Amino acid sequence: MVRTLGVAVVGFGWMGRVHTQAYARVPHHFPGLSLRPELVAVADEVPGRAEEAAAQYGFAAAHRDWREVAADPRVQAVSIAAPNFLHREIGLAMAEAGKHIWIEKPVGLTAEDARAVSDAVTKAGVQGTVGFNYRGAPAVAAARELIASGEIGTVTHVRIRLFSDYAAHPEGALTWRYERERGGSGVLGDLASHGVDLARFLLGEIEALTADTAIFLPRRARPTGATAGHTRATGGELGPVENEDYVNCLLRFASGARGVLEACRVSVGEQNNYGFEVHGTKGAVFWDFRRMGELGVSRGTSYQDQPVSTVYVGPGDGEYAAFQPGSANSMGYDDLKVIEAHHFLRSIAENIPYGATPADAVHSAAALDAMARSAEQGAWVPLA
C-alpha cells in the first residue's frame, strides 16, 4: 500500500532545486517504494525565491522563515539545503519537531555540530540521510564489492582526489562559503568531506592523519545582493578569504592501508575531477566521476605488467537498474541525488537507515577537524 509523505525543502539554491527534482523523480525510478513524496512547503530567506520555487515546482506553501516549516504538521520530512552555519540549528529543530531529515554535508561547521544533529535524530527516533552522493554511484558500489571480495588482494594504498575550479576566478564573490563564522572550513567541508566519506566507504575507518592547507586567493569582492551557487562580484569592497582553498592529507587506515587525499577548489583547468585509485597486493581499481559508469580494473596473477581493463557498470551494480537497462548507458549527477532520495524515503518507510547517515557525517567531520588541527600543528593527529 502506497502512502503520501509531506516533504519540505529549506534553502532553495542549486542544491534545494536538486533535492526537489529528486523527490519528483523518485517514484518513476523506484515504483516499488511505499512512500510518495508530496511537496508541502519550501523556505528561503531571499525575497521571492520561495515563491518562485512554489510556482515552478508546486509546493503548497512558501515561507521566508524555516521555523514555519518546523511548525507545520503537514510536513513529515525535510530537506536541509541551507548554508553550513544553519545546519545545526535547523537540523535540531526539525528532529525535535519529529521530522525526518535529509541534510546536506558537512552537517554544520564542526564535528560537534554534526554530533549534535546525529544525537538529535537518534533521540527523536526519526531517520536521517546525509548528502554524500558520490558513494551512491553504481561504479563506486561495484568497486566496494570488488575490494571486499579480495579480488585485488589486500589493499595497500589509495589516492583520492577532488579538484575543481568553481572558486578559481579571482572575481568569485566573497559569499558565506569563504567565512569561518558561516562556512566553517573551506574546501575541507565542501570537497574533502566527500573524500573522507569515500575513503571510509571503500576501506574502513581512518586511524590517523596529517595534513597541510593553503589559501591561494586571499581576497575577494563582497557581493552587493543575494547570491546562489558560485557567482562573481566586481567593484565591491574586498574582504579576506578566511578558510582554505587547498588541502593535502596523508591517511593511515585501521586495516594498515595508507592513503593520500587531496582537494582543491581553485584548480584552473579542472572541472569536477573527482575520483580514486585503490591498489592492492594483486590488483587495482580506478574511478573518475567524469566517466561515472566506468571502472578501471586490474586483476589476475601477473603482478608485473598486469593490464588494466575498462569495465562498464550495469544492472546488478548498486542502483543502476533503476535508471538504465544495460551496461554503458550514462547516468548523471542528479541521478545520484535520486538514489539519495530513495534511501531517505526507504529509511522512513522501513524505519531502518539506508545510505549515508548523520553518524557517517560525524566520522567525516571528525577527520576534517583533525586535518585542520594537523595543518596548524604540523603533526600527525589520531582519530578516536
Side-chain angles (χ1 to χ4, degrees):
M1 181 177 180
V2 177
R3 60 187 176 93
T4 300
L5 184 81
V7 301
V9 176
V10 174
F12 211 78
W14 169 60
M15 191 51 62
R17 290 179 181 272
V18 174
H19 277 232
T20 303
Q21 290 159 184
Y23 284 130
R25 292 178 56 197
V26 73
H28 303 290
H29 293 283
F30 298 94
L33 191 62
S34 63
L35 291 177
R36 291 291 183 273
E38 178 184 1
L39 300 178
V40 171
V42 58
D44 195 291
E45 66 176 8
V46 176
R49 188 179 284 176
E51 289 77 10
E52 177 187 339
Q56 182 175 359
Y57 292 101
F59 288 97
H63 306 290
R64 287 280 300 277
D65 191 339
W66 59 263
R67 294 170 185 83
E68 295 184 67
V69 172
D72 191 337
R74 298 172 300 168
V75 175
Q76 298 162 284
V78 181
S79 278
I80 301 172
N84 298 352
F85 69 98
L86 293 172
H87 285 182
R88 178 172 180 164
E89 183 182 10
I90 298 175
L92 292 180
M94 295 302 175
E96 290 168 0
K99 304 182 192 303
H100 307 283
I101 62 171
W102 175 11
I103 186 169
E104 275 305 311
K105 55 82 204 168
V107 189
L109 305 181
T110 63
E112 181 183 350
D113 286 350
R115 189 171 292 107
V117 173
S118 182
D119 289 347
V121 165
T122 301
K123 182 178 180 180
V126 297
Q127 293 296 321
T129 295
V130 177
F132 289 125
N133 43 267
Y134 298 109
R135 66 155 64 188
V140 175
R144 187 183 193 221
E145 290 189 9
L146 186 148
I147 293 165
S149 72
E151 286 195 57
I152 64 169
T154 301
V155 173
T156 54
H157 58 101
V158 60
R159 185 170 78 97
I160 298 173
R161 68 186 185 283
L162 299 109
F163 297 148
S164 188
D165 64 355
Y166 68 78
H169 203 291
E171 294 178 0
L174 187 68
T175 65
W176 61 268
R177 293 181 181 277
Y178 303 98
E179 300 175 358
R180 285 286 180 190
E181 185 175 349
R182 297 193 297 164
S185 61
V187 77
L188 285 176
D190 197 21
L191 295 182
S193 59
H194 282 298
V196 172
D197 186 66
L198 282 172
R200 292 184 61 248
F201 186 68
L202 294 170
L203 303 183
E205 298 304 331
I206 299 167
E207 194 172 72
L209 58 80
T210 184
D212 185 32
T213 62
I215 298 173
F216 296 132
L217 294 176
R219 298 178 68 78
R220 295 179 182 271
R222 300 185 187 279
T224 56
T227 61
H230 307 291
T231 55
R232 296 183 190 176
T234 56
E237 178 188 357
L238 291 178
V241 172
E242 297 173 352
N243 50 33
E244 72 290 336
D245 291 324
Y246 171 83
V247 61
N248 64 61
C249 181
L250 299 179
L251 306 170
R252 291 177 183 163
F253 292 88
S255 66
R258 298 297 193 262
V260 176
L261 189 160
E262 191 176 16
C264 185
R265 64 187 181 186
V266 297
S267 296
V268 175
E270 300 281 14
Q271 297 86 41
N272 299 323
N273 182 358
Y274 310 150
F276 56 75
E277 304 150 17
V278 181
H279 294 266
T281 54
K282 296 195 297 184
V285 59
F286 311 90
W287 181 68
D288 186 329
F289 168 68
R290 298 166 301 177
R291 304 173 72 93
M292 194 166 74
E294 300 178 17
L295 283 177
V297 180
S298 178
R299 52 190 164 190
T301 57
S302 299
Y303 299 98
Q304 188 176 5
D305 299 326
Q306 185 163 285
V308 176
S309 300
T310 297
V311 176
Y312 298 102
V313 297
D317 295 316
E319 304 284 8
Y320 184 95
F323 298 86
Q324 300 294 348
S327 300
N329 285 293
S330 298
M331 290 177 62
Y333 177 88
D334 285 14
D335 295 329
L336 302 184
K337 304 309 280 189
V338 175
I339 291 171
E340 269 185 39
H342 171 241
H343 287 159
F344 181 44
L345 297 173
R346 187 180 178 190
S347 297
I348 297 168
E350 300 180 18
N351 198 31
I352 299 171
Y354 289 95
T357 68
D360 292 308
V362 173
H363 284 287
S364 176
L368 301 184
D369 285 359
M371 289 181 199
R373 292 198 305 276
S374 175
E376 183 178 336
Q377 298 169 5
W380 281 87
V381 175
L383 273 71

